[in-house]
Amino acid sequence: MDPFPKEGESAAGGEPSRGAAPSSGVVVQVREKKGPLRAAIPYMPFPVAVICLFLNTFVPGLGTFVSAFTVLCGARTDLPDRHMCCVFWLNIAAALIQILTAIVMVGWIMSIFWGMDMVILASKYS
């Protein structure tokens, strides 16, 4: 017999302990905090987002580069307090990061996930 009871067992006989405290009924809300680059991903129409995902999959950063121009065409982002040109340049910066780090596969993976985020945002948008 184990000298120390396992979690959820009493010391006598290895049975589950009785009298455990019931759940307190606390509701927890989780909200994702996005950095400025992730918040700059534009809400695009679904077909455009799928094209950007396709481009990002085969040429890292190209879909992100294309999505930057949708900001200039009026696509909204999660950065309402920033000027349109600032959000455009944030997307261009994200595309450059993806292109430059694609050599070590980090940018390619980031590019694919970026495209998936575009599609997810587009599905919420429609």
Side-chain angles (χ1 to χ4, degrees):
M1 185 171 169
D2 196 12
F4 300 103
K6 295 177 186 166
E7 189 176 329
E9 293 181 349
S10 65
E15 295 178 16
S17 60
R18 310 235 191 273
S23 64
S24 60
V26 176
V27 176
V28 178
Q29 181 180 7
V30 178
R31 186 181 301 166
E32 181 182 8
K33 184 176 186 322
K34 296 180 179 180
L37 281 179
R38 289 264 324 259
I41 298 174
Y43 288 83
M44 300 176 279
F46 191 77
V48 177
V50 171
I51 290 169
C52 288
L53 171 61
F54 181 78
L55 292 173
N56 270 350
T57 302
F58 294 104
V59 182
L62 184 59
T64 306
F65 185 75
V66 169
S67 75
F69 289 96
T70 65
V71 173
L72 296 178
C73 293
R76 69 179 188 88
T77 65
D78 289 332
L79 293 172
D81 56 335
R82 299 263 178 116
H83 192 267
M84 182 188 317
C85 288
C86 180
V87 177
F88 170 77
W89 286 111
L90 282 171
N91 279 293
I92 295 295
L96 288 175
I97 291 169
Q98 292 168 7
I99 291 167
L100 294 175
T101 58
I103 298 167
V104 290
M105 296 299 290
V106 173
W108 207 324
I109 294 167
M110 177 186 173
S111 184
I112 293 169
F113 278 110
W114 217 260
M116 289 170 36
D117 281 344
M118 291 178 202
V119 172
I120 290 169
L121 290 176
S123 66
K124 289 181 183 176
Y125 178 72
S126 58

